[in-house]
Each structure stands twice: as C-alpha cells, then as structure tokens.
Amino acid sequence: MKEDNSFRKYLLFMLLSAAVICAAILFFHTSKPPERSPTITINADSRNDPEGSQVSSKPQTTSGIKVTSHRKTTTAYTTHTKTTSTTTEFIILDINSASSDELTKLKGIGDVLASEIIAYRESNGGFRNIEEIMNVSGIGEGIFSEIRDHIYVIDPVYDIIEEETAAAEINDNETSTEESLPTLEESAPININSADRDVLMLLPHIDEEIADRIIDFRERTGGFNSEYELLLIDGLSRNDVSEIIPYILIEPVQP
C-alpha cells in the first residue's frame, strides 16, 4: 500500500515538473523580441563613384546568429564628349594669279565679284597695286578695307611721278596767285569804300574776318565818311587804325 502511494507521488511530481518546464519554455518564446534582418544601403550614384560602386560585407555573427549580406555591383558609365574646334584660316592672295575659287574666300567677294576681278586683270594686263582693285565694278572702299590685309601684288607700281607733278602744279598755282597780288605799297592809297577783301587784307592788322566786317559795315551804312569810323569795326584798336590811315583814302560810293 505504501509502494502505491509513493509511486503516485512520484508520478504527480514528474507531471508537475513537466508542466513547469513547458510553461517556462512557452514564456521564453512569447517574451523574446523578433529578430531583425540586417539592412544594407547601397548608393548607386555613378557621379560619386566614377569607377563603379561595389558593396560587399563579410559574414557577421551577432548573438550567435550568422548574418550574410549579398554583394551588389553597380557599374558607372562615363560619357566622353568630343569637342570640335573651329580654326579660321588666314589667307593672303596674289590678285594677279588667284583663281576664282580662291578669290571667293575673301570677305565680301562672291562668284560675281571674283569674275569681275579676273576680267579686269585680263583686260588691263593685271593689277599694278592692290588699291587698283577698287577700280573693279562692285568693289569700293568698304570691301577693300576688309580684304586689303589678305591680298598683295608682286612688285607693286604706284604713279609717284604723276602725284609729284600734280603737287607741283598746285604749288605753281599758289605761287602765281601770290605773285598776282600787288603789295601794299603798290596798292596804296586804298579806297576802303570800294576795295575787295583781298586788297583790304593788304592793310596792317586786317585779316579775312576784319575785312569782311569792313565790307559789311560799308554796305549797311552806305560807305565810310571818315577814316576814324574804322574804330567802329570790332577787332581794331585806336593804335591799329592810326597805322592803317596812312594807306587808305575815302571816296564817295558810286550810286
């Protein structure tokens, strides 16, 4: 009878122990926080890594759990831009031998003007100097100023003799004009009521401007009545008039 009671007590103890163990295991599982999977952030922007980004991590062990992250490779592509530079060719042409195609490379010269240039040089035996190209119809000083640094003529010829002759003729004309004017001594006394500008300018202290004032005064007043009326002319002082009086006379103006 005692053996049955002991066996029952032992069986009850084992059941209670099993119940406690099961309760402990259940409590442990319900209270344990869930595991988080490892998160890996990959920046695949090729601008930050021009050679491509490779992300790899070694296996990590955390709290007895082995975590393995996968390798991800990002390839960056580099775009090459081809830059084309434009080079302006500097040309210089002999206008006595340049072809039509070569002439059209000059600024402002098209096919028509190129033909005109060739026709001119063929009919005139060539250009003697670069300035002669302005004799071509359609080429003026504007186009010539654009192309003068790009054209040339071998052994240019200029009409220096003709220019010197023209200058000499101008000097001769000026000299003959000066020689044709009488001197003050030859012209004195000068009638200031009838003398023209050139004759009045022979008088001392009288230039072109004062001579015009004298003529204007006598036309407005009907002529000078006295030599001292010259004091009324702007620009003549008393001393100037006193030096002029010996060389002048007053005659009535002819009606």
Side-chain angles (χ1 to χ4, degrees), residues 87-190:
T87 304
T88 303
E89 180 184 2
F90 183 84
I91 60 173
I92 182 166
L93 303 175
D94 179 3
I95 55 177
N96 279 329
S97 62
S99 65
S100 178
D101 292 338
E102 290 174 332
L103 290 171
T104 55
K105 295 179 181 179
L106 298 172
K107 186 175 181 181
I109 304 297
D111 293 334
V112 175
L113 283 180
S115 299
E116 292 288 340
I117 292 172
I118 294 175
Y120 179 91
R121 80 185 182 199
E122 289 177 351
S123 61
N124 291 274
F127 294 95
R128 295 180 299 168
N129 51 67
I130 62 173
E131 286 78 9
E132 191 178 352
I133 199 173
M134 287 190 288
N135 293 338
V136 176
S137 177
I139 298 180
E141 294 183 358
I143 294 179
F144 178 71
S145 64
E146 295 287 347
I147 67 175
R148 67 179 305 162
D149 294 332
H150 301 275
I151 60 176
Y152 70 95
V153 170
I154 298 175
D155 297 329
V157 177
Y158 292 90
D159 298 331
I160 299 177
I161 297 177
E162 294 181 1
E163 294 177 358
E164 291 179 350
T165 303
E169 291 177 354
I170 294 173
N171 292 332
D172 291 341
N173 292 334
E174 292 178 352
T175 303
S176 61
T177 302
E178 293 177 356
E179 292 176 352
S180 63
L181 292 176
T183 63
L184 177 60
E185 288 74 14
E186 293 173 347
S187 302
I190 296 174

Side-chain angles (χ1 to χ4, degrees), residues 25-135:
I25 292 172
L26 180 62
F27 176 79
F28 176 79
H29 282 287
T30 56
S31 62
K32 181 180 180 180
E35 294 181 0
R36 294 183 179 180
S37 301
T39 302
I40 299 174
T41 302
I42 300 174
N43 185 3
D45 190 354
S46 62
R47 292 174 297 178
N48 296 330
D49 189 2
E51 297 180 355
S53 299
Q54 293 185 351
V55 179
S56 62
S57 59
K58 298 179 179 180
Q60 299 177 355
T61 304
T62 305
S63 300
I65 301 174
K66 185 177 182 181
V67 180
T68 303
S69 61
H70 299 283
R71 176 180 295 178
K72 182 176 181 179
T73 302
T74 303
T75 304
Y77 296 94
T78 303
T79 303
H80 298 281
T81 303
K82 184 178 181 181
T83 303
T84 304
S85 59
T86 303
T87 304
T88 303
E89 180 184 2
F90 183 84
I91 60 173
I92 182 166
L93 303 175
D94 179 3
I95 55 177
N96 279 329
S97 62
S99 65
S100 178
D101 292 338
E102 290 174 332
L103 290 171
T104 55
K105 295 179 181 179
L106 298 172
K107 186 175 181 181
I109 304 297
D111 293 334
V112 175
L113 283 180
S115 299
E116 292 288 340
I117 292 172
I118 294 175
Y120 179 91
R121 80 185 182 199
E122 289 177 351
S123 61
N124 291 274
F127 294 95
R128 295 180 299 168
N129 51 67
I130 62 173
E131 286 78 9
E132 191 178 352
I133 199 173
M134 287 190 288
N135 293 338

